[in-house]
Amino acid sequence: MLRQIVRKLFELENCCKTWRDGDFDFDLVASKVTPESDSRLQSLEDKLTFKCPDDVYRIFSLHLRMTGAGAWRLHFSTELGLGKIIIGYIGPKIQ
């Protein structure tokens, strides 16, 4: 699982390096980026909300999937703007 996590982090880092304008282009990430469904956001909002280093609580809906030892996810946010991604959670799928 560690190799998958590292690979996903590098994918996101590489996209950040080229993100110079506009919204984050999810199609540039080698892995598929998906948001949580509306129903999961409503029922799991508290579990998908994390305190960030700037003391702001954010909902981390966007995620990359990882397989192997169960269904793992890497949740992230692009709310800080150009070239910046915050990782909110890496671990088993939030239930």
Side-chain angles (χ1 to χ4, degrees):
M1 193 56 67
L2 179 60
R3 288 178 192 223
Q4 285 191 67
I5 293 167
V6 170
R7 190 179 86 232
K8 303 290 185 186
L9 290 170
F10 276 117
E11 287 177 16
L12 291 173
E13 180 182 27
N14 288 334
C15 289
C16 283
K17 288 178 181 177
T18 60
W19 181 19
R20 301 285 181 241
D21 60 2
D23 293 331
F24 185 81
D25 187 352
F26 302 116
D27 292 330
L28 296 179
V29 181
S31 298
K32 185 177 179 180
V33 175
T34 54
E36 290 292 352
S37 67
D38 289 337
S39 61
R40 279 186 54 85
L41 279 174
Q42 289 176 7
S43 65
L44 298 172
E45 182 176 351
D46 59 326
K47 292 182 180 180
L48 293 167
T49 302
F50 299 96
K51 185 177 181 180
C52 297
D54 59 1
D55 290 329
V56 174
Y57 286 87
R58 291 183 174 85
I59 298 174
F60 286 79
S61 172
L62 298 172
H63 62 278
L64 302 172
R65 296 176 184 184
M66 294 174 279
T67 58
W72 275 47
R73 303 291 188 262
L74 185 157
H75 286 263
F76 66 97
S77 172
T78 60
E79 287 183 24
L80 292 183
L82 298 177
K84 297 178 184 176
I85 286 179
I86 303 171
I87 306 300
Y89 174 81
I90 300 173
K93 182 178 178 177
I94 295 171
Q95 300 294 337

